Amino acid sequence: MTQALHPLAQRFRGYFPVVIDVETAGFNAKTDALLEIAATLLTIDEKGMLVPSQTLHFHIEPFEGANMEASSLAFNGIDPYNPLRGAVSEREALTEICRAVRKAQKDADCQRAVVVAHNSAFDQGFLNAAIDRIKLKRSPFHAFVSFDTTTLSALALGQTVLAKACKQAGIDFDNKEAHSALYDTERTAELFCYIVNRWHQLGGWPPPMLMDDPELEESTEVNPA
């Protein structure tokens, strides 16, 4: 008899969702500094609801030779060389995040982590560039698949701006706290969970085909591509 998979493995075709937000010194992932990153891991609780489970957060030292646009620093209010930031290297931060993701992913019977972010191409681009820079082996993250809460919010809530989507979903959002990777990640995680759970409550999950054929629930497999 096949052992039942963790419900999170069944929910996203074996992908393990990790909510990511970054603060940067520009828009070019290859040349501009990554200054802050936060990652929220998710799980499914005893009621079958998707919920945040753990958040990791790091201030990052600019990599050697990194470009830093004054306009970006003015926008996010980060002083890259302020010793009170307690910044660490990209290697230390990403090694710690990937270690936690791999463990949680394995515990959830998932085979690959997928970035969840608001305007996910931006965050995923900076994450991938940093992983490449430090030559990190065995990254748990899919190189190009992502779940974009901008698109999901437009579909489910008629909003694309994070603050407005959160308000529409009944999630508190303080604009004074925005543009901190930690704050934005936690709000994005709440928003993603709200949308996924609302779809479930409306009867959209599981789809009829899965309900009619339980064997499909036990054969979830991620194509590496």
Side-chain angles (χ1 to χ4, degrees):
M1 180 177 179
T2 304
Q3 184 176 359
L5 293 172
H6 189 285
L8 193 54
Q10 300 174 42
R11 182 60 184 87
F12 301 110
R13 204 176 70 87
Y15 285 127
F16 182 75
V18 181
V19 185
I20 298 283
D21 189 81
V22 300
E23 294 298 328
T24 70
F27 296 99
N28 189 320
K30 294 187 180 299
T31 61
D32 299 342
L34 171 63
L35 299 175
E36 187 182 4
I37 186 169
T40 295
L41 313 185
L42 307 175
T43 190
I44 291 182
D45 67 14
E46 64 280 357
K47 297 179 181 178
M49 296 290 105
L50 187 68
V51 295
S53 64
Q54 177 188 2
T55 297
L56 298 94
H57 172 237
F58 298 93
H59 294 284
I60 309 292
E61 298 168 348
F63 65 89
E64 185 176 355
N67 178 61
M68 287 182 278
E69 298 290 340
S71 57
S72 294
L73 298 179
F75 179 75
N76 57 36
I78 295 175
D79 176 358
Y81 299 111
N82 186 336
L84 299 179
R85 292 178 68 221
V88 301
S89 68
E90 288 183 333
R91 179 172 298 280
E92 181 177 342
L94 293 179
T95 299
E96 215 35 56
I97 287 172
C98 288
R99 181 183 295 119
V101 169
R102 278 193 293 266
K103 182 181 184 305
Q105 172 185 297
K106 181 179 179 181
D107 291 345
D109 300 320
C110 292
Q111 301 171 30
R112 204 70 171 275
V114 61
V115 169
V116 179
H118 208 72
N119 298 312
S120 59
F122 179 84
D123 301 89
Q124 187 176 45
F126 272 87
L127 175 66
N128 287 344
I131 287 172
D132 288 344
R133 270 193 300 273
I134 67 172
K135 296 179 172 57
L136 183 70
K137 295 180 179 179
R138 294 177 55 243
S139 169
F141 291 99
H142 198 291
F144 54 84
V145 173
S146 66
F147 298 162
D148 181 23
T149 53
T150 310
T151 304
L152 293 172
S153 295
L155 172 67
L157 300 165
Q159 298 290 347
T160 57
V161 175
L162 179 59
K164 292 183 178 180
C166 285
K167 182 178 179 181
Q168 190 71 21
I171 298 167
D172 290 337
F173 193 95
D174 186 347
N175 284 301
K176 294 179 181 179
E177 297 289 337
H179 307 302
S180 151
L182 177 60
Y183 188 81
D184 287 359
T185 298
E186 291 179 335
R187 297 295 80 73
T188 302
E190 288 185 65
L191 179 62
F192 180 66
C193 290
Y194 171 86
I195 293 170
V196 171
N197 293 335
R198 185 64 177 148
W199 180 245
H200 175 76
Q201 291 164 346
L202 290 172
W205 181 265
M209 184 173 66
L210 271 184
M211 296 176 70
D212 294 340
D213 189 355
E215 289 187 6
L216 288 175
E217 297 186 41
E218 299 177 358
S219 61
T220 305
E221 184 175 351
V222 172
N223 186 324

